[in-house]
Amino acid sequence: GSWHISNQHLDRLNAFLLIGIYITIFISSYVFFKEPFEFYIGYLVMIVLLPFLVKKNGIPKPAIYFSAILLIVGVYNIFIGNNSYALFFKIFLGLMMSYMFYYYVIMAYEENITFLFRLYLKGAFLITCIGLVQFISYHIGFNYGYDYQWFLNKSAPVLGGNLGIRINSIYSEPSQYAIVQ
């Protein structure tokens, strides 16, 4: 087959990439299944987009070196009894998939990193507004406004602290919200 990708396919790929960036960064509280590992919606985005990104760009050498080092250290730790095959490969595959996806994102927008940052700021602002709604809803007793488990199955309110609720917006915990914001 040909390695050429038409401009129409590139435009579609870029649109899906932008949506994928938003989903992987801002929607991490929806889990499709929990066994044998938690399968987040962001993983689906990466699984769908990565083959197209690899076809378009090839496998970057830094990813090969990075994965080789992790693989050697991981397999060594399995042999000495510090880890199991299942746990290592679950973490290794998730890490490598994320690394590759964001590597391609940065490659795709290398000349316009400002665009990515502005995109991130818009998402962060929206997530912060949701956090404000969560805080106000808790204090007025509106359950659906602060407990989002009805549509995000891994997002539960974190009660406590000086203000009665620790803001997690649409994330699974307040620390994750703080990290992204």
Side-chain angles (χ1 to χ4, degrees):
S2 173
W3 286 94
H4 175 72
I5 299 175
S6 71
N7 285 340
Q8 181 182 9
H9 285 117
L10 285 176
D11 290 344
R12 218 175 295 144
L13 182 60
N14 280 336
F16 285 127
L17 187 58
L18 287 176
I19 293 166
I21 293 167
Y22 257 95
I23 289 172
T24 59
I25 294 173
F26 295 111
I27 303 177
S28 62
S29 291
Y30 187 80
V31 180
F32 286 113
F33 55 83
K34 293 187 178 189
E35 294 297 327
F37 62 92
E38 291 183 340
F39 190 85
Y40 296 92
I41 193 169
Y43 293 168
L44 182 62
V45 169
M46 291 177 194
I47 289 168
V48 168
L49 290 178
L50 272 173
F52 297 103
L53 294 168
V54 169
K55 182 177 180 179
K56 179 180 175 228
N57 300 299
I59 297 175
K61 286 183 183 176
I64 294 169
Y65 301 140
F66 183 62
S67 63
I69 292 168
L70 291 179
L71 191 62
I72 291 166
V73 171
V75 170
Y76 171 75
N77 276 285
I78 291 169
F79 282 126
I80 65 171
N82 289 339
N83 206 350
S84 69
Y85 285 108
L87 184 58
F88 169 70
F89 283 106
K90 175 180 87 167
I91 293 168
F92 177 76
L93 291 175
L95 179 65
M96 291 314 303
M97 194 168 56
S98 295
Y99 174 80
M100 293 285 291
F101 179 76
Y102 290 112
Y103 184 90
Y104 288 127
V105 165
I106 291 170
M107 278 179 56
Y109 292 98
E110 184 177 286
E111 293 177 14
N112 199 352
I113 249 6
T114 304
F115 171 76
L116 278 183
F117 187 67
R118 285 187 182 139
L119 186 70
Y120 161 76
L121 287 177
K122 288 176 183 179
F125 179 76
L126 178 63
I127 300 305
T128 300
C129 290
I130 293 170
L132 184 59
V133 167
Q134 183 181 39
F135 180 77
I136 293 168
S137 294
Y138 173 78
H139 286 286
I140 65 171
F142 179 56
N143 188 56
Y144 290 111
Y146 72 88
D147 184 350
Y148 303 133
Q149 291 180 85
W150 53 276
F151 74 100
L152 294 170
N153 61 1
K154 195 168 175 166
S155 177
V158 181
L159 305 179
N162 294 336
L163 301 174
I165 187 170
R166 295 174 57 210
I167 303 302
N168 60 323
S169 187
I170 61 169
Y171 294 100
S172 59
E173 57 186 61
S175 63
Q176 189 179 12
Y177 169 71
I179 289 166
V180 175
Q181 298 306 6

